Amino acid sequence: MSLKEKLQSKLDPMRSRVKTLVKEHGDNVISDVTIAQAYGGARGVKCIVTETSALDPFEGIRFRGFNIPQLREKLPTAPGGEEPLPEGLFYLLLTGELPTEDDVKEVTKEWTTRGELPGYLIDILKAIPKGTHPMTQFSMGIMALQRESVYAQKYREGISKMDYWDPMYEDVMNLIAKLPKIAAYIYRKEYKNDEHIPSDPSLDWGGNMAHMLGVEGDAFKELMRLYLVIHSDHEGGNVSAHTTHLVGSTLSDAYYSLSAGMNGLAGPLHGLANQEVLRWIMNVKEDLGGVPTKDELVKYLWDTLNSGQVIPGYGHAVLRQTDPRYMAQREFALKHLPDDEIFKVVSAIYEVAPDILREQGKAKNPWPNVDAHSGCLMLHYGITEYDIYTVFFGVSRAMGVLASLIWDRALGLAIERPKTITTDWLEEQVKK
Ligand code: CMX
């Protein structure tokens, strides 16, 4: 059964579960909202349905019920490799089932076939002035492809609501297939004299991305596969997922929705933190004239906090423990680059920063998140230009948020329109 057929077989049972829930228990209260939550980013308010993954504050992310160590064990790998293939993760996110080797091969083949970039996209990317942030270029590249939307075309032709998922699936597959090429094109244009590396159709999606970036060797390909798996999804409330879902709820297509989500990922409190971590570490090294001692790090961390800045890569809106995505990358580093200088700094920060954040007493979670580790791995393999890091995050995040977007349309989720209130209204309520 193809991925699309497998997905189709899941639609009716899921639709009927949702229909029953809403019909029979639609009035059940699942969350109350406090004034603090209304001003505080709706933290903890349960009001969005996302099927692809769920985040536990202490255990971390589970993708369709599987945590990261389980995925590393159960998902198919590249020949001779150990890390899970992102194609397998996408299959799991979309269908809720672990794929076989053949299922994964089919996704790889689909993405290879759909991956060519149209000439007009290259022209548009070329025309963007040098120095424009890679995330801006990435978002623009995705937007430029919107004219390809099968979903928008079918909508215009008057497709039935029940069939929205089908052209959305086509858009999602076409778009995900192209993202590694867009990312690599932006990278090579911006930082490698506009010299590009043709894709290698014999490679898998993540391995090919590593190849097109210009870093050869199996270790970087393995890293890229792992990276693309672990950054893919973090349930639906984070800004990139929520934005993609919100924009899609207007029946905008996958291009509009993902581009919007990527604009959210580009914020320093979200995905951009991965470049900020590296920038921060390099500033420490430069200011101190080399790798810092622990005492120097402690002082530097306090100086950062006392100057009113955040420690990038630390803290989380939901997590209350070290992010398992951080641990997966740490394991990779311990295996492949234990003596790397920057990895040692990352490890030293891990030893001191949580205590400092606890002592400062503001951050609810003093532990590192995914972004505290990723840059040092990229740097080790020669990706020294930090500004590209969030684009890699974005390529991965597309898998999660776009798998959800297909389900949003399959389940007919409504246009989002929560009620807003004014401070006057809240003060009135308090008086009452
Ligand atoms: N360094 C310093 N202060 C921090 C902090 C950090 N790493 N994390 C949280 N705080 C502060 C907050 O700024 C906030 O201060 P104010 O009361 O002055 O506003 C206070 O602690 C309480 O914040 P919180 O409830 O613990 O955290 P939030 O849910 O509001 O925000 C997050 C979560 C991730 C934005 C925040 O921890 C942060 O800014 N971290 C640094 C940036 C970062 O690493 N972002 C990447 C997150 C992962 C991702 O999305 O990619």
Side-chain angles (χ1 to χ4, degrees), residues 206-228:
N208 203 13
M209 175 156 156
H211 160 73
M212 289 185 290
L213 288 168
V215 182
E216 286 309 335
D218 288 342
F220 187 65
K221 288 191 180 67
E222 282 287 89
L223 172 62
M224 197 45 90
R225 292 168 188 134
L226 175 66
Y227 184 104
L228 293 170

Side-chain angles (χ1 to χ4, degrees), residues 43 268-271 273 305 309-318 320 325 357 360 362-365 369-371 393:
R43 210 70 84 250
L269 296 188
H270 192 13
L305 289 175
Q309 299 171 63
V310 295
I311 296 176
Y314 279 73
H316 200 272
V318 180
R320 295 295 176 260
R325 301 172 299 174
L357 282 167
Q360 192 211 27
K362 279 172 75 174
K364 292 187 192 69
N365 177 38
N369 60 58
V370 66
D371 299 317
F393 192 158

